[in-house]
Every structure is written in structure tokens, then in C-alpha cells.
Amino acid sequence: MSMRDARSAELFERARHVLVGGVNSPVRAMRAIGRDPIFIDRAAGAYVWDVDGNAYVDYLASWGPAILGHTPPAVVEALTAALPRGTSYGAPTEREVRFAEAVRDAVPSLERLRMTSSGSEAVMGALRLARAATGREPIVKTIGGYHGAIDGLLAEAGSGATTLGVPTSPGVPAGATAATRLVPYNDLAAAEVALAGAAAIIIEPVAGNMGVVPPAAGYLAGLRAACDRTGALLILDEVITGFRIARGGAQELYGVTGDLVCYGKIIGGGLPVGAFGGRAAIMAELAPEGPCYQAGTLSGNPLATAAGLAVLAALCTPQVYEDLESGGAALEAAFDDAGVSVRINRVGSMLTPFFAPAPVTDYASATASDTARYGSFARALLAGGVYPPPSQFEAWFVSSAHSDEDLARTTAALAQAEQTSAA
Ligand code: HOZ
């Protein structure tokens, strides 16, 4: 740590005595890029500021939620109005009904919804429901797919698990993954075989947790057809892609319909939220309509629904998605303009630069990337005032708050990082 990080270093020292590894989520420790964590003080628009007063153009975006940038005025106003009326009731509210209507209006396949407090919880609920609705146990997941820190799906999982080199975590009972079938991402033939007798396949329609990996042409449609043939459900994990790559998420962008779809991140406007939903007939298996139990004290929380509604309202105009697409394209172009030699996978405003020897289409090709090179590049970027995800296997996010000036600043930092970090 340098003088530039003196206060962060002090806080990290304190944190290590009271928080495991000094953090509350492993990748934040920044070990994967060979440095200690940066403690954040505040955020606004496209920027975060650390406790030492350094400003960064932010491409972490809180791992996805900050689609309008940080602290957008509409969210601040909504929270300020909601706060004095109570932070949690544990009882139904009008606002959660309006929230569910707003989500359903954007995503017609969601005939019924259940809210949760995180994307992980949404996935847990969707898996249980899929098993209850089909009477089958096996779940197919992709190698490198990440769906939260859930026992049954922490098998060959991407994101923090891959970043830390433990894609199948100790502590997960063998029984928890006994009914989990693994297939390579973008391998339709393997999925077709694995789906026989399965309750469901759960998939990130654009993989975002082995770095960004788009679906091959026909892959999602092929999965849909295979599910229809086998009676398995198609569970789309749109925790990252929902409301990001289109208002209707991957379902809208790729014209595929999931039986169940999971959300988190963006729909909570930066507060802890998740939701899953789908066809009314399937959702009717869930308690209290049906026997499949799922619950949560903070589900439908009044602050989270206030923030979420404000964000969903701002995402109603096609212009936002045009801006997000052009922002993503501009960030991609910035790498080229800066002369950084990387392979970029991009879908709209989410992208990953891979230091990989060949095109990245699945977990094997993603993990062939030179992570040490990513680490030195990311460290140099941070020193230059740009905040990338501190792992090769996460997505960079552009928000609607990133201006041309922010992108020009990013190009300069990328060029500088390329010079100082290249071997
Ligand atoms: N690894 C998770 C994102 N894909 C979240 C990490 C965090 O919030 O630290």
C-alpha cells in the first residue's frame, strides 16, 4: 500500500481483526488482483470515492445494480420519502403490488412473482419450486455458471468461487450436489443429454460470472426446445442480465421464454432485493397457494421496493437502452484506442476483457485467460483512477451516468495501465 491508500490500509488492518479476511464477500478482498482492498466512502453518478479521497470512474457498479450510476436523484427522493414511514412491516403493502406490476409489465412471462431479499434467495426458491412442480430432483447447471452461494449449485461455480480457486467449495455436503448435473456452457448436445429426467436447467442466459460469455446462436432456443421435449423447466438466472441488456432482459433480447426467471441487483435500486416468477400455473405450487414453502422476513421490504420502483420507472424509455448500448460500445472501443491487447466479450453495457489465447465461449476458454496479467492491469487501472472488477471472472458494467468525458478519462487510464503493467 502507498500513501495514496493510507486510510484504506488502516481500516483493513482493523477489519481483519473483526471480519473474516477483512471483508464481507471474498472477492472484495482484491487478492485475485494482488492487492489489499480499497475502502469506499461515497459514490455518485459514474464515480466512487475511497476513504483517502481518491476518485475512480466505476465499472464495478456494485457488481451490477448501479445501472443509472450511483445515488440517482430519483432513488434518493424515493428513499427519502419512504424512510419516515417505516423500514419493515412484515406485512403486505401497496408498494410491493405496484413493484410486482412494474416488473410484470416489462416481462410478460412473469405472470406471478415472489419477492426475496437477494438473487441467491430467489434462485433457492426457484429450484425448490421447480422440483415441487415437476416431482423430479436433478438440476442441470453449466460449468462456470454462478447462481449465488447456494450449496446445491456451488459445483464448478464461477464468480468468487472460481476467483478463489474453489469452484466446488469444501463444506458443501455431497448430498447437496448429488442431484446437480454439470454441462459445459454453450454445449447444447450435452444439455440435451443431461435434461432427461431433470426437474430443470438453470442458466445465466448471458454468462456473467466466468466473465461475460454470450450464448452461441441458437443455444437458448435449443435449451427451450429440449426442456419442452423432456418436461424439464427452463430457469433463467437474470440476476445480472434482468433489466440490463434490455428492459425485458435476455428473454426480450434473445426471444426466449423461461418457465421461471430469477432477478436481483438492478430491480432493488441498490438495496437488497431478489425476485423470481413465471407462469401462474407453476407459481401456484408455492405457499400459500400450494404446498411448496418459501418465505422471508424482509421480502417485499418497503425501502427496497421504493428504490426498485424508482429505477424501473427510469428504465421505461428506449433511450436508456440506446445509451447503455453506446456506453458499452464506447468502453469496448476504449480498449482498442488505448492499444490494450485483449479479447472482449460484450453484450450491451456488460463486458469482460480477457487476456486469453483464444475466443472465450465457455468456462474452459475463460479460465485459460492470464489472470496474473489481469491482476497487474487492474492494479494499474486503480492507480490511474478507474475501478474495474477485482477479478478476471466478473463483468464490467457501464451505467447511463458514464459520460463521454468519463470514457475519455478511461481511455487515458487504460493506455497508461497497458504501458505500466505489460510484462
Ligand atoms: N461475486 C459476486 C458477484 N458476481 C458478488 C461479490 C461481492 O459483492 O463482493
Side-chain angles (χ1 to χ4, degrees):
M1 284 283 186
S2 63
M3 282 311 288
R4 178 186 161 84
D5 302 311
R7 179 85 182 116
S8 271
E10 252 174 64
L11 285 173
F12 186 45
E13 190 47 38
R14 267 174 65 191
R16 286 198 306 192
H17 289 95
V18 68
L19 292 169
V20 180
V23 291
N24 276 314
S25 193
V27 188
R28 299 178 194 179
M30 293 194 166
R31 290 185 188 180
I33 60 165
R35 60 159 293 155
D36 288 341
I38 293 170
F39 283 67
I40 299 301
D41 177 47
R42 66 195 165 91
Y47 286 81
V48 291
W49 285 265
D50 69 19
V51 288
D52 289 283
N54 302 302
Y56 303 86
V57 185
D58 180 31
Y59 293 102
L60 184 71
S62 182
W63 308 89
I67 192 164
L68 305 176
H70 294 283
T71 53
V75 170
V76 175
E77 278 161 31
L79 285 172
T80 307
L83 187 57
R85 304 178 70 89
T87 56
S88 179
Y89 317 122
T93 65
E94 177 182 338
R95 198 179 297 130
E96 69 186 353
V97 180
R98 286 198 283 119
F99 178 91
E101 287 169 348
V103 174
R104 185 206 49 200
D105 289 352
V107 190
S109 75
L110 300 177
E111 293 173 355
R112 298 280 189 283
L113 232 73
R114 168 64 52 89
M115 290 193 70
T116 62
S117 300
S118 70
S120 296
E121 268 185 65
V123 168
M124 283 192 269
L127 292 187
R128 189 178 303 138
L129 177 56
R131 285 171 162 144
T134 59
R136 303 173 181 179
E137 282 202 9
I139 297 285
V140 182
K141 88 171 269 288
T142 59
I143 297 169
Y146 180 74
H147 309 282
I150 298 167
D151 275 2
L153 299 180
L154 267 184
E156 298 294 332
S159 191
T162 287
T163 300
L164 297 172
V166 285
T168 303
S169 173
V172 172
T177 51
T180 305
R181 298 177 180 172
L182 298 166
V183 293
Y185 188 80
N186 270 332
D187 185 337
L188 182 56
E192 281 172 334
V193 172
L195 276 167
I201 178 167
I202 181 160
I203 184 155
E204 299 167 89
V206 175
N209 287 290
M210 47 179 127
V212 171
V213 182
Y219 179 55
L220 297 175
L223 291 179
R224 176 69 275 167
C227 285
D228 290 343
R229 263 197 316 277
T230 56
L233 302 184
L234 178 60
I235 306 177
L236 297 175
D237 179 341
E238 293 232 49
V239 170
I240 289 179
T241 52
F243 290 89
R244 160 121 353 235
I245 57 176
R247 188 157 171 262
Q251 295 197 101
E252 178 182 322
L253 189 66
Y254 296 106
V256 63
T257 301
D259 296 299
L260 292 172
V261 190
C262 303
Y263 294 86
K265 301 196 190 277
I266 287 173
I267 62 165
L271 273 78
V273 159
F276 63 103
R279 284 207 310 279
I282 299 174
M283 293 300 289
E285 288 293 319
L286 209 57
E289 282 183 40
C292 178
Y293 191 71
Q294 191 284 332
T297 298
L298 295 176
S299 301
N301 176 266
L303 293 185
T305 45
L309 270 170
V311 170
L312 296 184
L315 294 176
C316 274
T317 59
Q319 185 62 46
V320 184
Y321 288 98
E322 284 164 28
D323 293 348
L324 287 165
E325 166 59 32
S326 56
L331 178 58
E332 182 173 358
F335 279 90
D336 200 32
D337 295 346
V340 189
S341 154
V342 276
R343 291 177 190 276
I344 294 186
N345 278 355
R346 178 175 76 85
V347 178
S349 58
M350 55 188 281
L351 67 76
T352 297
F354 288 99
F355 293 95
V360 175
T361 56
D362 58 11
Y363 189 63
S365 45
T367 49
S369 190
D370 182 346
T371 51
R373 174 87 179 88
Y374 183 88
S376 60
F377 189 70
R379 287 198 306 276
L381 275 180
L382 286 164
V386 167
Y387 198 120
S391 160
Q392 171 68 91
F393 305 112
E394 301 282 354
W396 297 44
F397 296 106
V398 180
S399 75
S400 59
H402 283 81
S403 65
D404 292 346
E405 196 192 330
D406 301 328
L407 282 150
R409 189 168 294 175
T410 304
T411 308
L414 289 169
Q416 180 70 24
E418 177 66 2
Q419 274 179 25
T420 55
S421 69

